[in-house]
Every structure is written in structure tokens, then in C-alpha cells.
Amino acid sequence: MKRALVIRHVAHEGIAGYRAPVEAAGYLIERAAACERDWASLDVLSPDLLVVMGGPMGVYEAAAHPWLTAEVAAIARRLAARRATLGVCLGAQLMAVALGARVYPGPAREVGFGTVALTAGGDGSALRHLAGVPVLHWHVDTFDLPESAVRLASTPAYANQAFAVGTHALALQFHAEMGDDARFAAWMEQDAEYIRGAGVEAAALWRDHDRLGPAAVRAGQAMLEEWLAGVS
């Protein structure tokens, strides 16, 4: 059976709704905490799929999280070998840095549900399933587009919402995997101050989650199913 290694940076940011299409594609999921990994000795090439999830820290905060430097180096090794890699939010930013791009604070916190505008490359990719579908945004950092990447989606505040490198790497700034009430409740509790700082009312965010979350996850699962079918 194929192996998928899911890297988590905090316990409440896991694979969530993406689990179903990964398992349906024949992968056995293994999980690891980034801060507990010996990245220097990790055989980062052996998993058939690497999934790097989100977290509240910034890529540029290696002084507070020293393992970030080794994690970026490991992701760079994997991408150089053209091994299948999916990054979500912080995971996408780590991929961008691993490919030589810059990550930095964006113009404002982007928190809540909203659509992404697909580029021509996005329209012709698995992201086509997200066209017109509001998905969850929960970020304050952004990144420059790596030279080797194709931009797939953007929002008015964040030009780089998704990119691909060949058929082996997909980076997503947004969260089309979030639909489970218990997991969303953990996000709301853990990031209550962050949400207030974005000028978003928790009650309104919950209403949008109830109304828009299921369709966002279905679209995200369809997107991932298609991408995994074309992975090389």
C-alpha cells in the first residue's frame, strides 16, 4: 500500500476533510508532529505522498521554532526529487521558501469564507472544482510565487492563493478541508484572539461555517481526488 505522511504543526490542524480522498486513492496515512521530528535524519523521500499542514507560526520565526529550518530543507529535498507533496497554509508557505521564494506578513488577516479567483492555469487544473465556491481563509502571511511554479488562484488581498509545480507539487493557502464541527470549534477556541484581531465576529463565522462549510469540503475533496489521480 502507498504511504502518506501528514506533518502537523499543532494538534488541531490535521488533514481533516482531505483524509477521505487520500485514503480513497490507496494511501495509508501516517502522522507526525513537526516539532518532534529529527528532520536531518528523516528519509523525506520514502513516503509516496507528503502532506504539510498549517500552523500559527510563521516560516520566518525559526528563532522561536528552530525545527522550521530543518523542515524547509527536508521539503526542498523532496521537491527537488519531484516527489508528490501537498502543502496547506503554513505548508504552502514552507513549500514556497523551499523553492527559493520569500514569505512575509500580508496586508491584513484574511479570516472567513470567500471565493478564490482562478487563473487560466487554475481553470485547467484540479482547482476547477473550487470555481465559485467560498472556502475558508485563515492566514496573515503571504509569499512570492516561486520561479518554478504556476499561480493557480488569488484573492484581492493575496495574489498567491495556490500554486503548482509540475504534477507533483500543490500548495494551497486556503483551507478547503475544514468542515468538521469539532475541529472547527477547536480552531475557534485556540484562535479566538486572532479572529477578533481580524475584525470578524465569532458568531458570524460559525454561521458561515454551517452554511458554506459542507460545500467547501465537497469541492476540496473533489479537487484533491483529481490532483492525486494525476500525481507523478
Side-chain angles (χ1 to χ4, degrees):
M1 179 175 280
K2 296 180 292 186
R3 293 172 53 232
L5 177 61
V6 177
I7 302 296
R8 294 185 298 185
H9 300 92
V10 287
H12 63 280
E13 292 204 36
I15 192 169
Y18 290 156
R19 174 182 175 180
V22 168
E23 290 184 334
Y27 293 89
L28 175 65
I29 295 177
E30 303 171 6
R31 295 169 175 82
C35 62
E36 297 172 0
R37 272 289 179 180
D38 179 4
W39 287 100
S41 62
L42 175 66
D43 180 8
V44 75
L45 302 183
S46 63
D48 299 287
L49 173 66
L50 182 69
V51 182
V52 188
M53 295 305 300
M57 62 286 297
V59 175
Y60 43 80
E61 294 180 318
H65 309 283
W67 42 267
L68 279 167
T69 300
E71 184 178 7
V72 168
I75 294 171
R77 293 197 302 274
R78 184 172 178 92
L79 293 173
R82 301 183 65 82
R83 297 287 282 156
T85 306
L86 171 68
V88 179
C89 201
L90 174 61
Q93 296 156 18
L94 288 163
M95 288 173 65
V97 169
L99 291 165
R102 183 173 64 107
V103 172
Y104 48 94
R109 295 179 189 180
E110 195 168 39
V111 177
F113 284 82
T115 58
V116 294
L118 300 182
T119 65
D123 277 330
S125 76
L127 268 73
R128 63 188 180 86
H129 295 281
L130 303 181
V133 180
V135 293
L136 181 63
H137 300 270
W138 203 287
H139 49 257
V140 69
D141 286 343
T142 189
F143 50 85
D144 293 332
L145 186 71
E147 289 185 6
S148 58
V150 175
R151 181 185 289 113
L152 302 178
S154 64
T155 58
Y158 284 75
N160 296 314
Q161 283 282 352
F163 68 80
V165 180
T167 58
H168 65 281
L170 179 63
L172 308 171
Q173 176 84 310
F174 50 84
H175 296 275
E177 80 281 9
M178 284 300 296
D180 177 78
D181 285 352
R183 190 177 299 273
F184 190 76
W187 282 36
M188 295 290 289
E189 179 181 353
Q190 294 287 335
D191 290 348
E193 184 176 343
Y194 183 85
I195 295 166
R196 286 193 294 271
V200 176
E201 293 184 1
L205 194 51
W206 263 113
R207 288 194 297 271
D208 285 346
H209 164 77
D210 293 342
R211 182 170 56 94
L212 303 171
V217 172
R218 286 194 299 271
Q221 290 174 333
M223 170 196 67
L224 196 57
E225 179 182 3
E226 181 174 328
W227 180 72
L228 288 169
V231 159
S232 63

